């Protein structure tokens, strides 16, 4: 027997046992994934977690823990993969933006190059942030959430939101300033 919450269920995880697990765990897993990733990505990851749980149900070992912990573990791994993907995309954007410095067209081209370098600096800085800090910046910048709303979404205190946002903004700004200083130094050589 496997324990889901307080109820035992068969280890075989037939359709009925899986439905019982899904019914009990769907809302908590959805709440967790949407808090970490936002509504759309959170819903996708939640669905994917249950799909993976069903697909790999033969791997579940009741001696290692509950079904609840197993499904949350699957969701956590999928969230981590989502963030790694996001970091790869940001680094790719940074690399592509950095390549555009070969443009050889007067002032407009120079402006585009400068913008590309600044974008690359921002993308690199975002990729280097901790997942929760990047998430806070994205939510604040794109969704305009208040500090209280950010705290609720991320499950942290309002004061923690303020300090993390402040540090994250400073890191991004420092990277932009470093890039600008490097560019200025190179121009004067």
């Amino acid at each position: 027997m496997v324990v889901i919450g307080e109820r035992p269920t068969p280890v075989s995880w037939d359709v009925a046992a899986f439905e019982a697990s899904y019914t009990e765990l769907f809302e908590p897993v959805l709440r967790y994934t949407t808090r970490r990733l936002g509504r759309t990505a959170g819903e996708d990851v939640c669905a994917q977690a249950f799909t993976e749980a069903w697909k790999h149900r033969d791997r579940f070992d009741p001696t290692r823990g509950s079904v609840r912990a197993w499904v949350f573990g699957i969701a956590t791994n999928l969230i981590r993969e989502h963030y790694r993907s996001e970091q790869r995309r940001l680094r790719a954007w940074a690399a592509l933006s950095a390549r555009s410095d070969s443009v050889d067209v007067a002032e407009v081209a120079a402006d585009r190059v400068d913008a590309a370098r600044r974008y690359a600096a921002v993308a690199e800085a975002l990729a280097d942030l901790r997942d929760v800090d990047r998430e806070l910046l994205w939510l604040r910048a794109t969704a305009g959430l208040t500090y209280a709303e950010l705290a609720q979404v991320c499950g942290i205190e309002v004061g923690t939101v303020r300090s993390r946002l402040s540090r994250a903004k400073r890191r991004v700004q420092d990277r932009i300033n470093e890039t600008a200083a490097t560019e200025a130094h190179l121009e004067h050589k």
Side-chain angles (χ1 to χ4, degrees), residues 11-132:
V11 174
S12 65
W13 255 36
D14 58 13
V15 173
F18 183 80
E19 285 176 359
S21 301
Y22 178 84
T23 300
E24 184 169 335
L25 298 175
F26 177 77
E27 286 299 324
V29 172
L30 179 64
R31 213 172 17 257
Y32 170 65
T33 58
T34 56
R35 283 184 176 163
R36 294 291 310 275
L37 301 173
R39 193 177 116 239
T40 303
E43 288 171 352
D44 290 346
V45 166
C46 181
Q48 189 178 358
F50 283 100
T51 300
E52 292 294 314
W54 175 254
K55 188 163 92 178
H56 301 291
R57 63 191 179 279
D58 58 318
R59 294 183 189 169
F60 174 69
D61 180 0
T63 63
R64 297 184 68 203
S66 69
V67 171
R68 179 181 177 86
W70 186 61
V71 172
F72 271 93
I74 292 169
T76 299
N77 288 335
L78 292 170
I79 288 168
R80 287 180 184 145
E81 178 54 34
H82 176 85
Y83 283 130
R84 283 191 296 268
S85 262
E86 182 178 52
Q87 285 177 321
R88 285 190 297 270
R89 277 192 309 277
L90 289 168
R91 291 189 195 285
W93 288 342
L96 287 173
S97 296
R99 287 186 195 162
S100 70
D101 63 357
S102 63
V103 176
D104 190 33
V105 181
E107 194 171 319
V108 173
D111 289 344
R112 289 184 75 188
V113 169
D114 290 343
R117 286 183 181 146
R118 282 191 302 274
Y119 181 81
V122 170
E124 287 174 9
L126 288 171
D128 289 342
L129 291 175
R130 292 187 331 195
D131 295 342
V132 68

